Amino acid sequence: DGGITQSPKYLFRKEGQNVTLSCEQNLNHDAMYWYRQDPGQGLRLIYYSQIVNDFQKGDIAEGYSVSREKKESFPLTVTSAQKNPTAFYLCASGGSGANVLTFGAGSRLTVL
Amino acid sequence: SQQGEEDPQALSIQEGENATMNCSYKTSINNLQWYRQNSGRGLVHLILIRSNEREKHSGRLRVTLDTSKKSSSLLITASRAADTASYFCATEAQKLVFGQGTRLTINP
């Protein structure tokens, strides 16, 4: 089955630690995205990548980093510089043409 | 800044009734999309309407777009308990921007 796999589904982190969220897709999509969702809120764009080895900051990139070494993979690192990292993180991918996104199931990060 | 704003923020209706959600936006768009999110899950694409279209149907879903008023509506007919979810509009100009969503509850 084609789709997007995010892992882990739940993650707990101590303050001061970096954590990396995995996102893998087998849809052969060029574009991949990371969004953050806070309770009762919409999605805010963190980073996006339209092609391998290239990525751009979204609206709330501070405290986050990404890489796009392979078409299938777009991991997100939440660094210790992110002041309020507790949130639900969603990865998505999109093909060419109209920007219809396919989403993963999400990763919930809690900072203890 | 957020492009799409949804109204109402929450909606609770009885099973079998129709549910209508509205989305307003501020600038010109290429297309508008609606997504659904079950609690604690990812979003699922429902329907896309282009800026030169006025109405689109998909099963029990009906979407309208009024570019003069910069607004769209999503109608779900004959609602079912399984339709309980949050519904988001997303507008695309240079990039896709999501609204804050409408939480829909269908009571059996």
Side-chain angles (χ1 to χ4, degrees), chain A residues 9 35 37 40-45 58-59 88 90 97-106 108, chain B residues 1-2 31 33 35 37 40-45 48 50 88 92 95-101 103:
Chain A
K9 187 167 177 64
Y35 290 91
Q37 186 178 32
Q41 301 294 312
L43 279 65
R44 292 185 289 169
L45 183 63
D59 300 319
F88 190 51
L90 287 159
N99 201 14
V100 173
L101 300 185
T102 301
F103 281 83
R108 187 169 299 279
Chain B
S1 61
Q2 206 77 324
N31 65 65
Q33 304 176 37
Y35 288 79
Q37 183 182 34
R41 306 288 295 175
L43 278 70
V44 175
H45 179 257
L48 178 151
R50 300 188 188 280
F88 294 88
E92 183 174 14
K95 59 181 180 179
L96 199 61
V97 179
F98 287 83
Q100 294 191 333
R103 288 192 316 280

Side-chain angles (χ1 to χ4, degrees), chain B residues 9-19 21 35-44 46 60-61 74 76-88 101-108:
Chain B
Q9 291 188 346
L11 178 62
S12 181
I13 61 173
Q14 295 300 120
E15 196 166 18
E17 294 179 340
N18 294 343
M21 289 156 272
Y35 288 79
R36 166 194 167 126
Q37 183 182 34
N38 286 72
S39 180
R41 306 288 295 175
L43 278 70
V44 175
L46 295 176
R60 293 184 295 113
L61 305 181
L74 171 66
I76 303 174
T77 60
S79 64
R80 306 167 180 168
D83 295 328
T84 294
S86 291
Y87 293 82
F88 294 88
T102 293
R103 288 192 316 280
L104 176 63
T105 302
I106 309 298
N107 301 304

Side-chain angles (χ1 to χ4, degrees), chain A residues 23-36:
Chain A
C23 179
E24 303 276 333
Q25 55 102 356
N26 61 4
L27 299 167
N28 200 32
H29 284 167
D30 288 318
M32 297 187 75
Y33 306 81
W34 274 105
Y35 290 91
R36 170 182 172 139

Side-chain angles (χ1 to χ4, degrees), chain A:
Chain A
D1 285 336
I4 297 183
T5 302
Q6 289 187 239
S7 63
K9 187 167 177 64
Y10 298 97
L11 185 60
F12 297 90
R13 184 194 99 173
K14 294 182 180 179
E15 283 192 22
Q17 288 182 335
N18 292 354
V19 293
T20 297
L21 307 180
S22 170
C23 179
E24 303 276 333
Q25 55 102 356
N26 61 4
L27 299 167
N28 200 32
H29 284 167
D30 288 318
M32 297 187 75
Y33 306 81
W34 274 105
Y35 290 91
R36 170 182 172 139
Q37 186 178 32
D38 292 284
Q41 301 294 312
L43 279 65
R44 292 185 289 169
L45 183 63
I46 304 172
Y47 268 98
Y48 64 103
S49 167
Q50 295 179 310
I51 197 168
V52 175
N53 292 323
D54 188 46
F55 48 83
Q56 284 78 41
K57 293 181 178 180
D59 300 319
I60 56 165
E62 184 175 352
Y64 300 97
S65 66
V66 294
S67 63
R68 187 83 187 277
E69 296 176 2
K70 299 186 300 180
K71 187 174 185 177
E72 302 80 17
S73 179
F74 192 41
L76 174 74
T77 297
V78 184
T79 76
S80 56
Q82 167 51 234
K83 298 194 185 314
N84 185 20
T86 294
F88 190 51
Y89 291 88
L90 287 159
C91 180
S93 69
S96 57
N99 201 14
V100 173
L101 300 185
T102 301
F103 281 83
S107 293
R108 187 169 299 279
L109 172 63
T110 303
V111 173
L112 304 173

